[in-house]
């Protein structure tokens, strides 16, 4: 049930981000809880680090293998790249046909390669800035996991201190964007390293959350049924009160650890089939919702209700097509291709020895 609850949490986080962006299109109701919806992206970062530690934490030991690293990166690329690339190509093609956007070759190439938000370029699909920074975290995973998971406890605590310090520095040095920035951690500026640092710091905190959960005391505390539910209620309450971003952020590792280790009411609710299904669709929801908001905004008659109705009518079928028609088959195909390449890589040295 625990892993299923984390999948359900992904679905909730994706819907929060969609609600955040919808509310920003409705100035009359943009204030209030939806204003801090961008923090759901930070929840994704911490959750991503935790899940990577869960699935790949033992992969890179003292003797790191280039083969293992290639296999790991192949799996991560197969997971996040195909749907992103399709969305970028469609948006660029649409912009060129309708002359609605300025796309130059360098920008398109960096976006296709998921390198745009490393301080290099603008983002074609606005939400994809975080996917780009996640790719950087995957590239750094052997280093980050070594510091967070395999070094002595004192090194892990220092790593946590550095990750928190990075977030603080990001907030302190971020330029003042006025109304375009809804809070301290709403850092997604193009041509800046701040988004990448925001992601890598959160990803590292997720790794360290897994490390704490491996201790006897950490596992015992997280297993209490009230931990996940209490953390979830605390997040909702703090958001309703307009609490500082950092205070809300502190609840994310507690929520994730409690959902994984515990069995409280929130864990059971997020593990229900509907929540898990929404979690499996979360990546497609995240990538396609922003362009569809633009279309709904342009096509809908005046008024909030027609805008929301058209947006939902567009979102539901497009998400299903994106997930079942692009994301899943492309991921399966790339994984098959990767296994064949691995097999070829192992066979070539043996064949060469036969030749010589």
């Amino acid at each position: 049930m625990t892993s299923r609850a984390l999948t359900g949490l992904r679905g909730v986080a994706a819907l929060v981000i969609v609600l955040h962006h919808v509310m920003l299109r409705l100035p009359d109701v943009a204030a209030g809880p939806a204003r801090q919806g961008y923090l759901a992206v930070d929840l994704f970062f911490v959750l991503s680090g935790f899940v990577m530690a869960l699935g790949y934490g033992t992969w890179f030991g003292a003797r790191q293998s280039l083969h293992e690293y290639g296999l790991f990166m192949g799996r991560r690329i197969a997971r996040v790249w195909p749907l992103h690339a399709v969305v970028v190509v469609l948006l660029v093609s649409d912009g060129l046909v309708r002359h609605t956007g300025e796309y130059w070759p360098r920008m398109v190439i960096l976006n296709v390669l998921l390198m745009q938000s490393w301080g290099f370029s603008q983002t074609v699909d606005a939400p994809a800035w975080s996917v780009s920074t996640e790719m950087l975290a995957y590239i750094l995973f052997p280093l980050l996991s070594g510091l967070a998971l395999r070094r002595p406890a004192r090194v892990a605590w220092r790593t946590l201190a550095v990750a928190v310090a990075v977030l603080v520095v990001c907030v302190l040095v971020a330029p003042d964007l006025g109304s375009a920035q809804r809070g301290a951690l709403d850092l997604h500026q193009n041509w800046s390293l701040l988004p990448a640092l925001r992601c890598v710091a959160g990803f590292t905190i997720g790794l360290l959350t897994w490390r704490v959960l491996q201790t006897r005391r950490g596992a015992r505390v997280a297993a209490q049924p009230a931990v996940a539910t209490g953390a979830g209620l605390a997040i909702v309450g703090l958001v309703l009160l307009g609490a500082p971003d950092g205070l809300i952020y502190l609840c994310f590792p507690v929520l994730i650890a409690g959902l994984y280790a515990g069995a409280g009411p929130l864990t059971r609710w997020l593990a229900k089939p509907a929540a898990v299904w929404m979690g499996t669709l979360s990546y497609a929801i995240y990538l396609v919702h922003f362009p569809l908001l633009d279309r709904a905004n342009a096509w809908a008659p005046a008024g909030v209700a027609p805008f929301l109705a058209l947006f939902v009518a567009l979102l539901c079928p497009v998400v299903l097509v994106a997930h079942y028609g692009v994301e899943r088959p492309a991921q399966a195909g790339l994984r098959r291709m990767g296994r064949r390449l691995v097999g070829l890589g192992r066979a070539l040295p043996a064949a060469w020895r036969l030749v010589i």
Side-chain angles (χ1 to χ4, degrees):
M1 181 184 291
T2 50
S3 297
R4 289 171 58 84
L6 295 181
T7 302
L9 180 63
R10 279 173 36 208
V12 171
L15 293 179
V16 169
I17 293 168
V18 172
L19 178 62
H20 173 65
H21 288 148
V22 168
M23 292 298 101
L24 294 181
R25 304 296 179 102
L26 307 173
D28 294 337
V29 292
R35 183 179 179 86
Q36 290 177 291
Y38 57 85
L39 288 174
V41 179
D42 295 284
L43 177 58
F44 269 125
F45 292 152
V46 179
L47 179 58
S48 179
F50 185 88
V51 172
M52 288 300 99
L54 171 64
Y56 299 97
T58 61
W59 273 44
F60 303 104
R63 297 179 58 187
Q64 295 185 4
S65 164
L66 186 61
H67 165 71
E68 286 184 340
Y69 184 64
L71 187 58
F72 168 77
M73 287 304 303
R75 290 186 177 184
R76 301 323 304 158
I77 290 170
R79 174 69 182 87
V80 303
W81 182 77
L83 181 58
H84 163 76
V86 169
V87 172
V88 169
V89 170
L90 289 176
L91 289 178
V92 171
S93 301
D94 179 67
L96 292 176
V97 169
R98 299 194 299 128
H99 306 286
T100 58
E102 294 184 3
Y103 303 112
W104 54 96
R106 180 177 179 273
M107 177 185 178
V108 175
I109 291 170
L110 287 171
N111 273 264
V112 170
L113 295 178
L114 277 172
M115 296 173 60
Q116 73 274 16
S117 293
W118 304 358
F120 295 147
S121 179
Q122 295 174 307
T123 301
V124 173
D125 180 22
W129 72 264
S130 66
V131 185
S132 172
T133 61
E134 282 262 5
M135 184 58 69
L136 179 60
Y138 297 152
I139 292 171
L140 297 175
F141 180 74
L143 171 64
L144 298 175
S145 63
L147 292 171
L149 304 179
R150 286 183 293 279
R151 300 295 295 275
R154 65 179 184 277
V155 176
W157 284 112
R158 291 170 186 168
T159 303
L160 175 60
V162 171
V164 173
V166 166
L167 287 175
V168 172
V169 170
C170 285
V171 171
L172 293 177
V173 304
D176 184 6
L177 300 179
S179 60
Q181 186 171 353
R182 266 69 62 178
L185 282 172
D186 188 18
L187 308 171
H188 53 82
Q189 296 91 341
N190 296 311
W191 309 103
S192 168
L193 276 174
L194 295 181
L197 293 175
R198 174 188 176 189
C199 171
V200 172
F203 187 91
T204 304
I205 291 171
L207 293 173
L208 291 162
T209 302
W210 172 257
R211 170 79 177 255
V212 171
L213 203 58
Q214 302 315 295
T215 66
R216 183 177 301 176
R217 180 179 299 178
R220 185 170 63 249
V221 172
Q224 300 301 314
V227 170
T229 303
L233 291 174
I235 291 170
V236 173
L238 290 170
V239 169
L240 290 174
L241 293 172
D245 289 358
L247 194 58
I248 299 170
Y249 199 114
L250 289 175
C251 299
F252 293 162
V254 180
L255 173 64
I256 292 167
L259 287 175
Y260 183 79
L266 183 59
T267 303
R268 290 192 294 271
W269 183 78
L270 288 175
K272 289 183 179 296
V276 173
W277 183 62
M278 192 62 62
T280 62
L281 298 176
S282 60
Y283 187 59
I285 293 171
Y286 184 71
L287 281 187
V288 307
H289 81 274
F290 204 86
L292 294 181
L293 278 172
D294 290 336
R295 298 300 180 271
N297 195 48
W299 296 342
V304 173
F307 164 69
L308 293 178
L310 180 57
F311 172 63
V312 173
L314 291 171
L315 182 66
C316 293
V318 171
V319 164
L320 293 176
V321 170
H323 178 71
Y324 292 105
V326 178
E327 186 180 351
R328 288 183 62 174
Q331 181 178 353
L334 286 177
R335 286 198 170 192
R336 285 194 299 269
M337 184 185 303
R339 286 193 293 268
R340 290 171 183 169
L341 290 175
V342 169
L344 180 62
R346 289 173 175 171
L348 283 176
W352 178 249
R353 285 195 297 270
L354 289 176
V355 171
I356 62 175

